[in-house]
Amino acid sequence: MKIHKRYISALVALLFAVPVMAQVPAPAPKQSKPVLLKGATLHVGNGQVVENAAVGFENGKITYAGPQSGANLSGYEVVDVTGQHIYPGLIQPNAALGLNEVESVRATIDWREVGELNPNVRSIIAYNTDSDIIPTVRANGVLMTQLTPIGGTISGTSSVVQLDAWNWEDAIVKADEGMHLNWPNMLIETGNSRGNERLKRMQEEREKTMLELEKLFRDAAVYKAGKHDSKNLKLTSMTGLFDGSQKLYIHANYGKEIIEGVNFAKKHGVKNVVVVGARDAVAVADFLKANNIPVIYSGVHVLPSRAEEDVDMPYKTPYLLHKAGILFALDYDLAIHGIRNLPFIAGTAAAYGLDKEQALASVTLNTAKILGIEKQLGSVEVGKDATLVVSSGDLLDMRTNNVTYAYIQGRHIDLNNKQKYLYEKFENKYKHQQQPAPAGATSSAGK
């Protein structure tokens, strides 16, 4: 069948009419020349603040971070950011970013596997680097995330990725760094006879799950000791829990569940444990401190867990954890679209007791320490990756946050995204509608 040239021309015109700005920006090329940012206030991420600072980086690594007066400008492409602020790139832990696009469309959801015990499931191979949501979180300074599977009792392993890559292999910062265990909920009697029948069934299910967990961890420990005849993928994937090369993230909120989960892990010889969620972390702070258990706290922008709690308890929990001497990080655990608000939950924590730089550490260096990447990321220091952001205002304040530059491993990142495109589109539309009609213009409706 012969296709008329007119139709081909129309198709080409239609393709070129698609707005480029609405698409996911292509990953930035590798850093080709040394860059030096000068004149800004540097927030190192470890509590230090340097006024009138400079930050230089070459081949993706930071070569200088300190007062501008001590920087050697020769050979560097100098970017003047006077009056602005330089921060480490923010890190979002415990997120399904890139594993889920539209919750109402099943084909875009790839964050869980069928079954209850899936230690061999790897979240990293399902990561979609072309997600429309990723550029929207980068625009607020979130440059890394921990890809976390959900569902079941053991969901699988998480990996840390940077948010500017062509594929999941290029995105990896640390692969399969931890396993996620959703601790079975404890059950409380209701006093209702009908409800207690249901409660009894649920209690039987919980006991069954606990027995399965006991067996799995015992089998894994025996397997790690080399007492096996054949390859077992599930047990092989758990060996890192016993030699400390892999963390066990226990998702639990209720205080007794936190204690039970941590004691279970210690009984089975798990070396590194992290509690995720941890709404009751303050109530069991002495236990967490005594056992050196870090926390990823997920409840800053939520309601209090109990009616008798202070209404601002979730806001001041980060300060109370810091006061108790517990290493903690913050995560935005609501819809993945809200991850762009990660800096603002740190800002809320700063308004309720935390020092501003301590709040910054809770979404940068503290997170890096918990994830085991602190030697590479989390602060703006010489030798670390040049993964940082520049904001014309306070990064943790939603009123003044305005990221003007972002770099991942020294690569200058495109900060455009679909939300910015739509904002500009409709801003221009309504500006145009508000313009007064030219003198002498006549409405067609009046004819």
Side-chain angles (χ1 to χ4, degrees), residues 302-313:
V302 300
L303 293 172
S305 301
R306 299 174 179 81
E308 66 271 16
E309 287 184 347
D310 293 345
V311 69
D312 59 358
M313 186 63 186

Side-chain angles (χ1 to χ4, degrees), residues 101-172:
E101 195 72 6
V102 183
E103 292 186 18
S104 60
V105 180
R106 178 64 186 88
T108 71
I109 301 174
D110 204 5
W111 58 19
R112 68 172 296 162
E113 190 55 85
V114 296
E116 291 297 313
L117 301 175
N118 296 303
N120 54 311
V121 168
R122 305 177 67 216
S123 63
I124 184 64
I125 60 174
Y127 178 49
N128 173 26
T129 55
D130 291 323
S131 169
D132 277 336
I133 304 170
I134 291 173
T136 69
V137 307
R138 295 192 319 212
N140 270 8
V142 182
L143 303 185
M144 289 154 288
T145 189
Q146 179 193 35
L147 297 177
T148 304
I150 68 170
T153 303
I154 296 183
S155 307
T157 60
S158 59
S159 296
V160 182
V161 297
Q162 50 87 3
L163 299 180
D164 187 64
W166 285 107
N167 50 59
W168 63 264
E169 293 94 339
D170 293 343
I172 289 175

Side-chain angles (χ1 to χ4, degrees), residues 20-336:
V20 175
M21 294 286 285
Q23 310 305 310
V24 176
K30 188 176 180 180
Q31 184 182 6
S32 59
K33 51 188 173 182
V35 174
L36 187 132
L37 309 175
K38 71 165 190 174
T41 298
L42 170 61
H43 303 262
V44 178
N46 60 3
Q48 297 179 8
V49 178
V50 182
E51 301 288 345
N52 194 25
V55 176
F57 45 96
E58 183 177 6
N59 296 323
K61 296 291 184 180
I62 297 173
T63 55
Y64 179 81
Q68 182 179 323
S69 58
N72 179 8
L73 305 183
S74 61
Y76 283 85
E77 176 188 341
V78 177
V79 180
D80 191 347
V81 289
T82 300
Q84 301 193 57
H85 299 262
I86 301 174
Y87 300 88
L90 306 189
I91 310 169
Q92 163 70 31
N94 184 36
L97 182 65
L99 304 179
N100 173 29
E101 195 72 6
V102 183
E103 292 186 18
S104 60
V105 180
R106 178 64 186 88
T108 71
I109 301 174
D110 204 5
W111 58 19
R112 68 172 296 162
E113 190 55 85
V114 296
E116 291 297 313
L117 301 175
N118 296 303
N120 54 311
V121 168
R122 305 177 67 216
S123 63
I124 184 64
I125 60 174
Y127 178 49
N128 173 26
T129 55
D130 291 323
S131 169
D132 277 336
I133 304 170
I134 291 173
T136 69
V137 307
R138 295 192 319 212
N140 270 8
V142 182
L143 303 185
M144 289 154 288
T145 189
Q146 179 193 35
L147 297 177
T148 304
I150 68 170
T153 303
I154 296 183
S155 307
T157 60
S158 59
S159 296
V160 182
V161 297
Q162 50 87 3
L163 299 180
D164 187 64
W166 285 107
N167 50 59
W168 63 264
E169 293 94 339
D170 293 343
I172 289 175
V173 172
K174 188 173 184 180
D176 304 316
E177 43 76 36
M179 188 164 296
H180 292 260
L181 167 59
N182 297 304
W183 194 251
N185 293 332
M186 285 186 167
L187 305 169
I188 301 172
E189 290 191 16
T190 63
N192 181 303
S193 58
R194 194 172 176 185
N196 284 339
E197 289 179 11
R198 179 171 175 269
L199 187 69
K200 183 179 179 181
R201 292 194 300 271
M202 293 172 66
Q203 185 64 44
E204 290 172 352
E205 282 297 317
R206 185 180 196 272
E207 290 172 0
K208 179 183 175 183
T209 299
M210 294 298 296
L211 289 173
E212 290 173 344
L213 279 175
E214 287 278 356
K215 183 178 185 307
L216 179 65
F217 274 77
R218 282 199 308 268
D219 290 349
V222 171
Y223 188 88
K224 172 70 170 66
K227 300 175 182 179
H228 56 84
D229 298 321
S230 59
K231 185 87 167 179
N232 185 304
L233 292 179
K234 284 191 175 184
L235 301 182
T236 298
S237 65
M238 297 178 66
T239 56
L241 298 176
F242 306 107
D243 61 19
S245 62
Q246 202 174 47
K247 290 181 169 62
L248 179 64
Y249 295 93
I250 300 177
H251 294 248
N253 284 305
Y254 182 40
K256 289 184 178 180
E257 293 170 358
I258 293 172
I259 293 173
E260 186 182 38
V262 171
N263 285 338
F264 172 90
K266 291 175 69 67
K267 181 181 81 171
H268 288 283
V270 176
K271 298 293 185 184
N272 293 319
V273 179
V274 179
V275 175
V276 182
R279 300 283 172 85
D280 275 358
V282 173
V284 294
D286 291 342
F287 172 81
L288 294 171
K289 176 67 175 175
N291 288 278
N292 195 28
I293 305 296
V295 165
I296 296 177
Y297 181 63
S298 304
V300 175
H301 283 180
V302 300
L303 293 172
S305 301
R306 299 174 179 81
E308 66 271 16
E309 287 184 347
D310 293 345
V311 69
D312 59 358
M313 186 63 186
Y315 300 160
K316 62 186 181 183
T317 290
Y319 166 70
L320 296 174
L321 291 175
H322 173 75
K323 189 176 178 182
I326 295 170
L327 175 63
F328 74 95
L330 301 180
D331 88 88
Y332 193 92
D333 75 329
L334 301 177
I336 54 174

